[in-house]
Amino acid sequence: MSTAVNDTDTVVNEQSTTTQKPKILEAQYIVPFLLVASLFPLWGFANDVTNPLVKAFKDIFLISNAQSSLVQFAFYLGYGVMAIPAAIFIRRFSYKSGILLGLFLYALGASLFIPASIYMEFTFFLAALWILTCGLALLETTANPYVLSMGHPDTSTQRLNLAQAFNPIGSLTGMMIASTFILSQLQVEEFRAQEKAANPEYATMLPSEVDGKLTQALADYAVSNPVEHQAMQAADLITVRGPYVAIAVIVALLFFVFLFSKLPKTISHDHPLTAKELKETFARLLQNRCYLEGVVAQAFYVGAQIMCWTFIIHYGMTSVGLTAAEAQSYNMVAMSIFLASRFICTFLLSYIRPGHLLMVLAAGGILLSLGTIFIGGYTGLYCLIATSACMSLMFPTIYGIALKGMGDDASLASAGLVMAIVGGALMPPLQGSMIDGGEILSGIPAVQTSFILPLICFVVICLFGFRAHNKYKI
């Protein structure tokens, strides 16, 4: 009788073992995971210390919104150019080699802000940003699939969401530094404040009208006082370069940490790809509908994210009447919400399928975008801030859905998803052009109506979430 009971217990124990849910992170991967996760704040910092430069360079160089949006074009173009070469490089050498080369290019691009500020050329800054983001493309092409491979495939999306939770820490740091050490220290902002004080009638005007008058006053000052204006430009560009020089030093130190660290091999990624293997891999990827739809959704997501975070400063200044530094503080609130929501969504993924949760949050982004467009003022600004709660889940979840079950193809497949970040290069200049073009809907400022572009992006993401949940059962 006791033997029968023991046999029954054994069967029960075996069943519980086989049905036990796999861990998000196993013990042998904890240290490598934390080391690789330390890279995620780096591109968060770069993204969000750069976003305010769109407005800052517009005033420093006296250029249009469309021209200043070339900051984002140059920044995200690096992803489009470097993603596939990065994936091939990683397969030829190793994940560690990809990380080291990425850190080198990151530090190089950031340090090039020194000669760019000395020569006072906008195009030099664009070139420096492009080189920097070639490094970021290598880091993201390496880190994301590496984290996915550090454990059981069923927990890969949760694991990537956990790693991506470190990203907003860098973003918040970048925003804080941009607000404290760049925007609030710019002499051009002091000029705008003095003009406001000298013209009390501005208090009765719409914020968008005031912004236009201040921009015109700055242009007039450049013509009437060219020497003083050039001195102002030089001082402001030195202010802009400071954080980039600091991050170049930090990234260089991290380069040596990785150089002397051992990282585990999780998949066979270190053998060279032949032309035949490369062709076969691309053929498999082109036949994978879920993957292709994921690449498209990712491009629209990144476009939405960059537009919402870049033009929040314009929105705050033209629809509410805030200063650039005040508007940037709301960007920091948005990022805090993004960070908190990332941890909440990682928890929710234990109970809700990724596609379903992605669809629901994208629908929330649609509703909040409508509020941003049609309500305006502080309420519209709050709607814009709240979209960050919806966006927090999107990048790693789209990534995880698209790469599920890829195996050794993951390094090349991830290149397509990193390449999709080029959406952040294409859409902000389009939004800037809409703002420059003036009112589209009668009575609604152009900055507000320009957020129809993020609205469209959220519709595309919602459709992908719906298909992932219902068609691909993810």
Side-chain angles (χ1 to χ4, degrees):
M1 185 71 176
S2 60
T3 302
V5 171
N6 289 337
D7 289 343
T8 302
D9 290 342
T10 301
V11 171
V12 170
N13 288 335
E14 287 177 353
Q15 288 177 342
S16 64
T17 301
T18 56
T19 58
Q20 185 177 6
K21 188 173 181 179
K23 294 180 180 179
I24 296 176
L25 194 63
E26 297 171 7
Q28 69 267 31
Y29 291 124
I30 292 176
V31 173
F33 173 84
L34 291 174
L35 194 59
V36 175
S38 70
L39 299 172
F40 285 72
L42 291 181
W43 55 80
F45 177 89
N47 290 344
D48 289 285
V49 80
T50 301
N51 286 341
L53 294 188
V54 174
K55 178 61 178 173
F57 281 148
K58 177 182 181 295
D59 292 334
I60 293 171
F61 289 108
L62 292 174
I63 54 181
S64 69
N65 286 298
Q67 288 173 312
S68 64
S69 295
L70 290 175
V71 166
Q72 300 293 36
F73 179 79
F75 190 91
Y76 291 98
L77 183 64
Y79 286 99
V81 171
M82 197 64 178
I84 290 177
I88 295 172
F89 178 85
I90 292 162
R91 283 289 297 269
R92 171 64 181 85
F93 296 98
S94 66
Y95 279 137
K96 181 175 178 178
S97 298
I99 291 171
L100 290 174
L101 181 57
L103 291 171
F104 171 77
L105 290 174
Y106 189 147
L108 176 63
S111 63
L112 287 176
F113 267 62
I114 296 174
S117 64
I118 292 172
Y119 285 100
M120 298 174 61
E121 285 288 339
F122 181 55
T123 52
F124 288 5
F125 283 100
L126 299 182
L129 286 169
W130 180 78
I131 292 171
L132 186 154
T133 49
C134 283
L136 293 183
L138 265 159
L139 292 178
E140 293 207 45
T141 303
T142 303
N144 287 306
Y146 198 13
V147 166
L148 287 172
S149 67
M150 287 183 178
H152 198 282
D154 288 348
T155 58
S156 59
T157 300
Q158 283 179 274
R159 193 159 47 252
L160 185 56
N161 267 279
L162 181 60
Q164 286 278 354
F166 290 87
N167 176 269
I169 297 171
S171 295
L172 277 171
T173 304
M175 288 180 176
M176 182 187 69
I177 288 176
S179 180
T180 305
F181 297 103
I182 297 180
L183 295 177
S184 63
Q185 302 298 319
L186 293 177
Q187 291 187 16
V188 69
E189 282 300 307
E190 292 180 20
F191 178 90
R192 291 170 66 94
Q194 290 169 3
E195 281 293 308
K196 268 190 176 181
N199 294 273
E201 69 274 14
Y202 287 175
T204 63
M205 297 180 181
L206 291 173
S208 55
E209 291 182 79
V210 175
D211 184 67
K213 288 185 176 294
L214 294 177
T215 300
Q216 185 58 52
L218 187 59
D220 294 340
Y221 179 75
V223 173
S224 60
N225 299 275
V227 175
E228 291 83 352
H229 181 258
Q230 190 175 40
M232 180 192 295
Q233 280 184 313
D236 284 348
L237 292 176
I238 290 172
T239 299
V240 165
R241 84 183 183 194
Y244 289 88
V245 174
I247 194 63
V249 173
I250 293 170
V251 170
L253 292 174
L254 195 56
F255 174 91
F256 288 103
V257 171
F258 273 90
L259 182 64
F260 296 108
S261 297
K262 288 186 177 180
L263 297 177
K265 292 183 179 181
T266 56
I267 58 173
S268 56
H269 58 268
D270 56 355
H271 66 276
L273 279 172
T274 64
K276 182 181 178 182
E277 288 173 325
L278 190 61
K279 183 178 179 181
E280 290 173 350
T281 301
F282 278 121
R284 286 193 297 271
L285 294 179
L286 290 173
Q287 292 171 1
N288 189 325
R289 293 294 298 275
C290 181
Y291 170 73
L292 294 177
E293 290 172 20
V295 171
V296 173
Q298 198 72 289
F300 278 92
Y301 162 69
V302 176
Q305 182 200 78
I306 301 310
M307 287 187 287
C308 287
W309 289 350
T310 297
F311 291 102
I312 194 171
I313 295 177
H314 296 67
Y315 195 98
M317 294 178 72
T318 60
S319 292
V320 182
L322 305 175
T323 66
E326 288 170 341
Q328 175 66 0
S329 68
Y330 282 91
N331 222 344
M332 293 174 65
V333 173
M335 183 52 63
S336 299
I337 293 171
F338 185 90
L339 175 59
S341 180
R342 175 64 61 78
F343 284 104
I344 293 169
C345 289
T346 300
F347 171 76
L348 290 176
L349 283 171
S350 298
Y351 305 96
I352 305 174
R353 281 162 57 183
H356 189 194
L357 192 55
L358 179 65
M359 177 180 63
V360 170
L361 291 178
I366 292 170
L367 294 175
L368 290 167
S369 295
L370 289 170
T372 301
I373 295 166
F374 292 106
I375 299 175
Y378 274 104
T379 304
L381 181 61
Y382 297 150
C383 287
L384 179 54
I385 290 169
T387 58
S388 291
C390 299
M391 292 192 295
S392 64
L393 171 92
M394 292 178 180
F395 184 92
T397 302
I398 294 171
Y399 207 104
I401 290 171
L403 291 189
K404 191 170 181 64
M406 284 288 183
D408 282 1
D409 289 345
S411 59
L412 274 176
S414 70
L417 289 158
V418 172
M419 194 170 166
I421 295 175
V422 78
L426 302 176
M427 296 183 194
L430 183 57
Q431 189 173 11
S433 297
M434 289 181 67
I435 296 171
D436 289 334
E439 286 188 8
I440 298 173
L441 299 175
S442 180
I444 300 179
V447 170
Q448 289 176 216
T449 53
S450 72
F451 280 88
I452 194 171
L453 293 177
L455 171 64
I456 293 169
C457 293
F458 288 128
V459 170
V460 173
I461 297 163
C462 189
L463 289 173
F464 175 68
F466 175 81
R467 286 178 62 78
H469 176 62
N470 291 282
K471 182 176 177 62
Y472 305 119
K473 308 300 180 184
I474 298 175

